[in-house]
Amino acid sequence: MDRITRSYLNDFKSDNKIDEDDDARLFEHMVNYTIAERYAEESYEIESLNVGGGGTIGIDGFIILLNHQVIQNEDELNDFIDQHKKCSAIVVFIQTKTSPKFELKEIGNFEFAIQDFISEKQKLKWSDTAKPSIKMLNRLIERTSELRDNPACYMFYVTLGKNGNDQNIEVKRESIEKTIGDEGIFSSVKFELFGASEIQSEYKKIGQSHEVTINFESKIVLPELGGVDESYIGIVDASTIVKMMTNESGGILSSIFYDNVRDYQGSNNVNIEISNTLSSEGKDAFVILNNGITVVAEKLSVTRNLMTISNYQIINGCQTSHVLFENRNILTNDVKVPLKLIVSSDQDLISKVIRSTNRQTEVKEQDLIAYTNFQKKLEDYYASFPEPCRLYYERRSKQYKNKGIDHKKIVDKTMQIKAVASMFFNKPDMATRYFGALFNEFKDSLFKDGHEMEPYYTATYSMFKIECLFKKGVINNKYRKIKYHILMMLRHELNPQKCFPFESKKSKQYCENILLYVNDEIKFLDTINRVISKIDHIGPNLDNELSKSRDFVKNCLDAYNSQRNDLVL
């Protein structure tokens, strides 16, 4: 491994707190992460992208993304498609080698593995690590008619060599694109070859702020406002919006939409009408027919009518922006778009703007949750703990990206609901579900003004401590699929009586007592051992889909029926 790649690898391990000493395996994680960041807008577990363990042949990384969110199991996939009409899908295959060259035979093995992976019936012997991903892909294919289009497929073959555009390799690359495309599963297929310099370049791009220079001639300056550095309203050419949302490869710069609370809705009636206007003789009236775009940027520099905006987000106008992009080849100077530009780094102000500009009926309550007062209070509560008890509540997507924080200490909204639902509502079987389904299930019980913060933190901190025991090998990895059941049983082991309502001060004391045991290493380990002993006594088949079984939850709870009056706490 060359010294430059080694330095990136060390940075990756340090920044993401990856517990892996094998360089080849660590490089696989780094490559998977680097490529996933091209498409993903939400947080995900880096290690979950790796399907190369346990004897898997030819494929090291596999990713399914729906509307640029990494999907990690079949339940999440079903929930997401159920809740998002005509969402977009991306499927990614990755093969990583530490060899210093591109080998035709290994590239052929990659093709062979992908063909078997996507086939209706697999012939290869796939590992237990890969089987759930194959099943998830099959489910995605079954539900393709409900997607906006067939999934797009991207394949990456990565080595530490130099891509010298060898003719034989290039012919093979084109042949693989055609072969996989002929399967009729994907709307588009692209195969890229990455050498050391390419993966280094891609890794460097992660977390970099984006900027664009636009011509904003027809504008007025808005009055001074608290928390706002500068603000303007006016009109720009439609091509300017397209420029703002186009990446280096000519595709959509999806990351500028992660604070936009609505996904692109595809060919719904409104978007079809917008598209029809752009192709009609009356397209010059677009400027008065459309509500326009709202952009928030952190920095702005002005030279006459040219404005360079840095680290910007399109926080309203996602639908209009995407329709403009899809029709970019027919846009003329006659098509103008209303633009509101706000320059501010005040997150509270930005939250207010997002909420006020996204009040359409299409916006769901779950989409606006990050911008509520309760979520801000919860974020501040998490921040009040010193190390080593500090966790980081990720109210907004990727807000702790590239800040050197152990990703297992970052708690997003989905993880928060899973932990609370498991620990205090006895529903660990819900933990495989997508955020939207979880939110709908518990929206009347969680994230309410007046709730004490302790139950939220206690649940996620206890889960973090359980994860640490898995990481150290203290808990056998065979129990990992039922880790949320272990969390549920941990509370019952300490105090099987029902927790007090979250708005009650008694819930605060209840949770503080639990934390005393969780933070006592000897008592915590002893408690976990008792939990594992009870699970072993139940004797579940850990090869089955226990995580979703309500019967298994009942069996776990039945183990505590005899000790209701014999409390540890």
Side-chain angles (χ1 to χ4, degrees):
M1 183 176 294
D2 63 271
R3 292 173 61 185
I4 296 177
T5 303
R6 169 76 64 186
S7 69
Y8 283 119
L9 197 62
N10 291 336
D11 287 345
F12 166 74
K13 181 176 181 178
S14 175
D15 289 347
N16 294 281
K17 304 296 187 292
I18 301 295
D19 186 32
E20 180 61 69
D21 295 323
D22 180 79
D23 281 353
R25 186 79 167 173
L26 185 61
F27 187 54
E28 289 177 8
H29 286 315
M30 175 183 161
V31 169
N32 292 342
Y33 167 74
T34 301
I35 292 172
E37 284 298 300
R38 271 189 160 197
Y39 311 105
E41 296 175 5
E42 299 287 340
S43 300
Y44 52 88
E45 293 185 14
I46 296 172
E47 293 92 334
S48 71
L49 308 179
N50 196 297
V51 296
T56 297
I57 299 173
I59 300 173
D60 294 313
F62 175 75
I63 314 168
I64 288 179
L65 302 102
L66 297 178
N67 286 357
H68 297 280
Q69 295 189 35
V70 174
I71 303 299
Q72 297 186 316
N73 59 62
E74 190 177 353
D75 284 341
E76 278 191 10
L77 186 144
N78 285 323
D79 287 339
F80 198 102
I81 296 176
D82 287 343
Q83 296 198 14
H84 296 76
K85 183 180 178 181
K86 296 298 180 182
C87 59
S88 64
I90 295 173
V91 175
V92 183
F93 296 96
I94 306 167
Q95 172 70 318
T96 303
K97 296 290 183 181
T98 54
S99 62
K101 58 182 178 179
F102 290 86
E103 300 181 68
L104 203 59
K105 179 182 177 182
E106 293 296 339
I107 295 174
N109 288 340
F110 184 37
E111 174 189 22
F112 181 65
I114 293 174
Q115 283 183 293
D116 192 70
F117 198 101
I118 66 177
S119 64
E120 290 188 61
K121 188 174 182 180
Q122 286 67 41
K123 296 180 180 178
L124 294 175
K125 183 179 180 181
W126 291 95
S127 69
D128 291 339
T129 307
K131 286 177 182 176
S133 295
I134 293 173
K135 188 176 179 182
M136 185 166 56
L137 177 62
N138 285 335
R139 185 58 178 151
L140 177 67
I141 294 171
E142 288 172 2
R143 301 196 65 175
T144 295
S145 63
E146 300 171 69
L147 305 177
R148 188 185 313 160
D149 199 351
N150 286 18
C153 177
Y154 297 96
M155 299 169 286
F156 295 87
Y157 183 86
V158 183
T159 78
L160 291 174
K162 181 178 180 181
N163 183 7
N165 295 317
D166 178 273
Q167 183 176 349
N168 292 337
I169 298 291
E170 182 61 22
V171 169
K172 184 63 175 175
R173 185 193 67 78
E174 293 176 354
S175 172
I176 292 174
E177 285 186 341
K178 184 178 185 307
T179 298
I180 302 302
D182 287 346
E183 295 286 343
I185 297 172
F186 304 110
S187 61
S188 61
V189 176
K190 187 174 183 180
F191 184 14
E192 294 191 57
L193 301 167
F194 277 9
S197 61
E198 285 82 13
I199 202 65
Q200 291 165 13
S201 176
E202 288 292 318
Y203 184 76
K204 283 176 65 176
K205 293 177 184 177
I206 297 174
Q208 288 183 352
S209 62
H210 37 268
E211 68 175 34
V212 66
T213 299
I214 64 173
N215 189 328
F216 199 178
E217 182 176 358
S218 302
K219 64 182 182 296
I220 61 172
V221 181
L222 296 176
E224 289 187 16
L225 297 169
V228 177
D229 300 326
E230 299 176 66
S231 56
Y232 305 85
I233 190 168
I235 59 174
V236 295
D237 290 346
S239 58
T240 298
I241 304 301
V242 173
K243 180 181 180 182
M244 292 173 64
M245 58 186 296
T246 303
N247 62 26
E248 295 176 353
S249 304
I252 291 178
L253 184 62
S254 60
S255 60
I256 67 170
F257 293 100
Y258 81 76
D259 260 346
N260 192 299
V261 298
R262 289 187 300 153
D263 302 311
Y264 178 48
Q265 303 298 310
S267 298
N268 61 20
N269 292 335
V270 174
N271 291 339
I272 290 172
E273 186 176 344
I274 295 174
S275 185
N276 289 339
T277 301
L278 293 173
S279 58
S280 70
E281 292 183 0
K283 59 187 174 183
D284 56 342
F286 187 84
V287 68
I288 61 173
L289 298 176
N290 189 270
N291 289 330
I293 312 292
T294 301
V295 175
V296 171
E298 285 190 2
K299 294 181 181 179
L300 170 70
S301 60
V302 182
T303 305
R304 296 181 180 176
N305 291 322
L306 295 179
M307 291 186 166
T308 299
I309 55 176
S310 302
N311 207 17
Y312 57 92
Q313 292 284 311
I314 294 179
I315 64 169
N316 185 253
C318 173
Q319 310 305 308
T320 296
S321 300
H322 279 77
V323 175
L324 290 174
F325 187 87
E326 290 180 348
N327 290 275
R328 60 193 180 279
N329 294 328
I330 64 171
L331 296 179
T332 66
N333 293 335
D334 296 331
V335 183
K336 308 290 184 182
V337 182
L339 174 65
K340 183 189 296 181
L341 174 61
I342 302 167
V343 183
S344 175
S345 56
D346 186 330
Q347 291 300 328
D348 288 337
L349 174 72
I350 294 171
S351 294
K352 291 178 182 177
V353 174
I354 290 171
R355 287 183 65 84
S356 64
T357 56
N358 286 279
R359 287 296 189 183
Q360 302 92 333
T361 56
E362 298 95 328
V363 180
K364 302 173 184 176
E365 185 181 352
Q366 68 196 50
D367 296 324
L368 290 170
I369 188 176
Y371 308 104
T372 62
N373 290 332
F374 181 86
Q375 291 289 309
K376 185 65 171 66
K377 283 176 60 180
L378 190 58
E379 179 185 24
D380 292 341
Y381 180 79
Y382 272 76
S384 69
F385 286 86
E387 295 292 352
C389 299
R390 172 76 193 273
L391 298 180
Y392 299 80
Y393 187 63
E394 189 177 63
R395 179 170 60 91
R396 294 173 292 105
S397 175
K398 296 187 178 182
Q399 69 186 84
Y400 298 111
K401 176 66 69 178
N402 295 332
K403 293 188 177 180
I405 297 170
D406 183 348
H407 63 283
K408 285 189 167 43
K409 282 195 162 194
I410 297 174
V411 178
D412 63 16
K413 298 183 294 295
T414 303
M415 294 167 59
Q416 180 68 83
I417 298 180
K418 288 179 179 181
V420 172
S422 300
M423 192 171 204
F424 295 112
F425 294 90
N426 297 330
K427 291 190 175 181
D429 50 308
M430 293 285 292
T432 60
R433 308 295 297 274
Y434 163 69
F435 170 73
L438 289 168
F439 181 82
N440 289 335
E441 176 75 16
F442 297 102
K443 65 180 179 180
D444 294 330
S445 305
L446 299 180
F447 303 138
K448 299 299 182 182
D449 290 336
H451 277 191
E452 297 294 334
M453 302 289 113
E454 280 75 13
Y456 296 90
Y457 172 81
T458 299
T460 55
Y461 183 71
S462 299
M463 189 72 253
F464 167 72
K465 296 290 283 187
I466 291 171
E467 287 282 9
C468 288
L469 294 184
F470 276 113
K471 186 176 180 181
K472 294 175 182 177
V474 176
I475 304 178
N476 192 306
N477 210 48
K478 69 180 182 179
Y479 298 105
R480 181 174 287 279
K481 66 175 64 176
I482 55 169
K483 63 182 181 181
Y484 284 102
H485 295 72
I486 295 174
L487 176 62
M488 175 189 72
M489 295 175 73
L490 169 67
R491 180 180 73 82
H492 284 271
E493 197 69 42
L494 297 176
N495 191 339
Q497 288 189 342
K498 186 177 180 180
C499 180
F500 296 97
F502 287 3
E503 61 269 20
S504 168
K505 293 293 183 183
K506 292 182 179 180
S507 70
K508 181 176 181 178
Q509 186 61 53
Y510 183 98
C511 291
E512 287 177 350
N513 289 339
I514 290 177
L515 289 174
L516 286 175
Y517 271 75
V518 172
N519 278 315
D520 186 311
E521 190 171 334
I522 295 176
K523 291 180 179 178
F524 178 61
L525 183 56
D526 182 59
T527 305
I528 291 297
N529 284 335
R530 294 200 302 272
V531 168
I532 298 300
S533 177
K534 284 183 171 63
I535 291 174
D536 289 341
H537 183 73
I538 294 170
N541 182 354
L542 294 173
D543 293 330
N544 291 339
E545 294 186 342
L546 277 179
S547 59
K548 298 183 285 187
S549 170
R550 193 63 198 167
D551 287 339
F552 179 57
V553 174
K554 181 180 182 301
N555 291 338
C556 291
L557 294 175
D558 285 346
Y560 295 94
N561 286 336
S562 61
Q563 66 175 76
R564 296 295 172 188
N565 298 315
D566 184 21
L567 308 184
V568 175
L569 295 181

